[in-house]
Amino acid sequence: MFVDTFLQLFSLIIFIIGAYGFLSRRNMIRMLISIEIMINAANLNLVFFALTSSYSHFIVLIAISLAAVEAAIGLSIVMLVYLRRGTIETDELKSLSG
Amino acid sequence: MLYDPNIVMFALALFTIIVTFLAIESKEIVYSLFYFGVFTVLIGLIFFYLGAYYIAVFQIAVYAGAVVALILFAIMLTKRKGEVVVTHSTLTQKVIAASVTAVFFVLSAVVLLPDFPAVTFSGTMPTLTDLISIATTNAVMIIFVGIALATSLFASIFALEGGR
């Protein structure tokens, strides 16, 4: 019982650190790294909850593949923003705010 | 068994939390990416420790192999605000790096070779037959650890040669 609670608390701490990084950073690549940390915490939590079921393993495999695709698309968006605007700091990208 | 599995899990979790915090708080983004790579490998070790072997393999292959390289190329192709100043590391930094890598190696060895310390520290000296039986039963893991160690060694040598 201690191990279950501890593992869930651990994944929660990892998720909170990732959320803090996503909220506190203004560099788009750092924000992407924080998103990846949060996805890893979610995968950990899913595996912790279903240790005996192999069904959750396939779900986590699909989630890992989707996270890789998300990183590729996010970084291509970052490159496009950099080529058009010359910066990837979100504080300096204000054309959408009206 | 020499060690308590809960203690190993606690040490892995503590190390992962520290590395995650460093990945968020590092000033230079390349260092942040390096800590993120260590974080993904640690998460893979935790998956391995929990018995999810396929997820561990996919985690290390996809995250530590593909995503980190992808983010590294994005960092190289975009301009940063500050210039990177490469200086020689001090003794304190070397000691810290050596302790971090030592802890990382011990945790990896404990997770990957679960039967090895129990036989070695059982009170009697292990004979050659014991060692051969351990090596044959854990051959895949020993080869895996050896490849990882050789890769890190060659990578550090090439990094040092390229830095001069």
Side-chain angles (χ1 to χ4, degrees):
Chain A
M1 186 57 70
F2 165 73
V3 174
D4 293 344
T5 313
F6 168 73
L7 292 179
Q8 291 159 21
L9 185 66
F10 166 62
S11 63
L12 176 69
I13 290 173
I14 296 292
F15 190 88
I16 291 297
I17 293 175
Y20 163 72
F22 182 76
L23 293 176
S24 65
R25 299 299 166 200
R26 287 296 171 262
N27 191 315
M28 288 174 81
I29 296 179
R30 280 182 187 274
M31 294 166 79
L32 267 176
I33 291 177
S34 307
I35 290 173
E36 297 291 332
I37 289 174
M38 284 194 282
I39 290 174
N40 271 309
N43 287 341
L44 266 179
N45 210 4
L46 187 54
V47 173
F48 290 159
F49 266 112
L51 274 179
T52 58
S53 161
S54 62
Y55 186 65
S56 71
H57 293 190
F58 294 107
I59 297 178
V60 172
L61 286 184
I62 294 172
I64 286 174
S65 314
L66 287 180
V69 172
E70 175 260 334
I73 293 179
L75 286 171
S76 61
I77 291 175
V78 168
M79 288 306 300
L80 274 179
V81 167
Y82 177 73
L83 289 178
R84 283 173 179 260
R85 304 295 169 86
T87 180
I88 53 170
E89 303 288 325
T90 52
D91 280 342
E92 301 169 10
L93 303 171
K94 294 182 176 174
S95 62
L96 277 180
S97 62
Chain B
M1 187 171 278
L2 178 69
Y3 52 88
D4 189 3
N6 291 336
I7 292 178
V8 176
M9 186 65 216
F10 182 76
L12 271 175
L14 188 65
F15 200 51
T16 309
I17 288 172
I18 292 172
V19 167
T20 313
F21 190 74
L22 285 175
I24 295 297
E25 286 296 326
S26 291
K27 285 184 178 178
E28 185 61 40
I29 194 168
V30 179
Y31 293 157
S32 175
L33 182 66
F34 168 73
Y35 287 121
F36 174 71
V38 177
F39 163 77
T40 56
V41 174
L42 281 171
I43 295 287
L45 279 179
I46 292 175
F47 281 145
F48 196 92
Y49 193 71
L50 290 174
Y53 302 116
Y54 283 109
I55 299 179
V57 169
F58 267 78
Q59 171 85 20
I60 292 177
V62 172
Y63 271 104
V67 173
V68 170
L70 204 63
I71 297 177
L72 186 62
F73 273 101
I75 291 172
M76 283 166 57
L77 291 173
T78 53
K79 187 171 59 181
R80 279 161 287 168
K81 279 185 173 177
E83 288 290 327
V84 181
V85 180
V86 178
T87 57
H88 293 288
S89 56
T90 63
L91 183 63
T92 315
Q93 288 173 335
K94 286 178 183 174
V95 167
I96 291 174
S99 353
V100 167
T101 47
V103 170
F104 187 74
F105 173 71
V106 167
L107 285 177
S108 311
V110 165
V111 171
L112 292 177
L113 301 173
D115 295 331
F116 188 67
V119 177
T120 307
F121 298 100
S122 61
T124 58
M125 288 293 289
T127 61
L128 188 61
T129 317
D130 290 338
L131 291 180
I132 289 174
S133 66
I134 292 168
T136 47
T137 48
N138 293 315
V140 177
M141 296 308 166
I142 289 174
I143 290 172
F144 182 76
V145 173
I147 288 174
L149 283 177
T151 309
S152 59
L153 182 66
F154 283 119
S156 56
I157 288 174
F158 281 128
L160 283 176
E161 289 295 325
R164 286 174 186 167

